[in-house]
Amino acid sequence: MRKQIAAANWKMNLTYQQAEKLLDEILGADIVLKNHQLTIFSVPYPYLLMTRSEVEEEFNGNYKVAAQNCHHKKNGAYTGEVSAEMLHSLNINYCIIGHSERREYNAESNALLAEKVNICLDHFITPIFCCGEPLQAREAGVQNDYVAVQLRESLFHLPADKIRTIIIAYEPIWAIGTGKTATTEQAQEIHRHLRSVIAAHYGAAVADEIPVLYGGSVKANNAKELFSCPDVDGGLVGGAALVAADFIEIIKALKQ
Ligand code: PEP
């Protein structure tokens, strides 16, 4: 089975003390992750090391830590930025790339995101590559083309042996933080489409290996249904990942 992943995206939330408490509650819960299951905490930069040391205590190593962004250049005069090389030097092995909030507020283009994907892979960091359409594209019925362009322009320069190592998160912008969730039919349909776009370029074997997570108001009470779709391999979770009891239920909803 492909990896099934519950990824928390804390965004710019929680104090250090609140973050420690949340992690303690989640990691102290009665959850045994199977070999094919991962839980990833995407945390603010100042919390990376603390989170890494907390998850390192978990016996089966299926808890991981991600940054929420990195710069596209190797190093240099970019005040306030954080490089992939820095993350690698902290033994951080995952990074969200192209979240819709960064695309919107930081004008991150598909071309720039291709550079970020490259620099992550050069530093042994798995990109969690986000794609997803705005409401107007969904209403116009062009969501499939919209996400296909995002994949082509940011990922399809990669050779097969690289793209097969990444994680994709499909996050319809109209569902992020809005309480509106894609129906299971909508999620399955577009996840299957994403896989078919990858398969058309790289072949079905590569497409079948890549986890495609759903993001957009995943909650404790809808995770099981969404994750049961054959092409949905878990979720990227914002708001509900800030509440221990909810995120624990979401982890438990991963395919067994
Ligand atoms: C997200 O930030 O990636 C997200 C999906 O947020 P929420 O779960 O709050 O919609």
Side-chain angles (χ1 to χ4, degrees), residues 1-230:
M1 193 191 292
R2 272 188 296 275
K3 284 273 183 244
Q4 302 294 306
I5 302 170
N9 177 14
W10 287 359
K11 312 192 189 195
M12 195 175 74
N13 289 303
L14 306 173
T15 63
Y16 188 83
Q17 292 73 19
Q18 289 168 334
E20 277 189 314
K21 183 165 177 282
L22 179 60
L23 279 173
D24 283 346
E25 285 171 7
I26 295 167
L27 296 174
D30 172 28
I31 306 171
V32 182
L33 292 177
K34 305 227 165 96
N35 283 342
H36 66 278
Q37 296 175 326
L38 288 183
T39 293
I40 304 177
F41 296 100
S42 313
V43 307
Y45 293 134
Y47 307 166
L48 284 169
L49 278 188
M50 175 276 284
T51 307
R52 200 201 67 192
S53 79
E54 290 251 359
V55 306
E56 270 170 2
E57 286 169 23
E58 291 305 308
F59 72 97
N60 68 359
N62 286 2
Y63 289 88
K64 309 284 183 189
V65 185
Q68 297 175 9
N69 175 45
C70 69
H71 199 263
H72 59 287
K73 297 280 190 196
K74 189 168 175 351
N75 54 27
Y78 300 101
T79 302
E81 296 290 349
V82 170
S83 70
E85 188 178 46
M86 292 171 187
L87 297 175
H88 176 57
S89 72
L90 295 174
N91 205 10
I92 299 300
N93 304 317
Y94 295 83
C95 185
I96 296 178
I97 296 293
H99 192 280
S100 61
E101 287 151 15
R102 293 205 59 87
R103 290 176 185 262
E104 184 181 350
Y105 306 136
N106 300 77
E108 295 193 352
S109 65
N110 292 340
L112 178 93
L113 297 175
E115 290 187 53
K116 292 195 180 201
V117 167
N118 291 345
I119 201 125
C120 280
L121 292 171
D122 287 349
H123 292 89
F124 311 100
I125 294 169
T126 301
I128 304 170
F129 178 78
C130 300
C131 61
E133 79 286 355
L135 186 60
Q136 309 88 283
R138 170 66 61 169
E139 283 175 350
V142 296
Q143 66 275 7
N144 283 0
D145 292 342
Y146 193 97
V147 294
V149 169
Q150 290 179 316
L151 293 196
R152 279 196 200 104
E153 293 187 356
S154 300
L155 299 179
F156 281 13
H157 60 284
L158 296 172
D161 66 321
K162 294 282 187 206
I163 198 168
R164 70 179 355 137
T165 66
I166 75 163
I167 298 167
I168 291 176
Y170 166 68
E171 299 209 307
I173 297 171
W174 46 271
I176 297 179
T178 59
K180 275 190 203 162
T181 314
T183 63
T184 46
E185 291 74 24
Q186 286 171 325
Q188 170 55 24
E189 192 190 323
I190 201 152
H191 280 232
R192 180 179 297 164
H193 167 70
L194 288 166
R195 219 180 283 292
S196 74
V197 172
I198 299 168
H201 196 81
Y202 292 99
V206 170
D208 280 345
E209 271 180 51
I210 299 175
V212 184
L213 315 185
Y214 169 79
S217 299
V218 174
K219 304 285 176 212
N221 62 8
N222 61 20
K224 188 114 203 154
E225 207 185 334
L226 285 161
F227 298 173
S228 70
C229 298

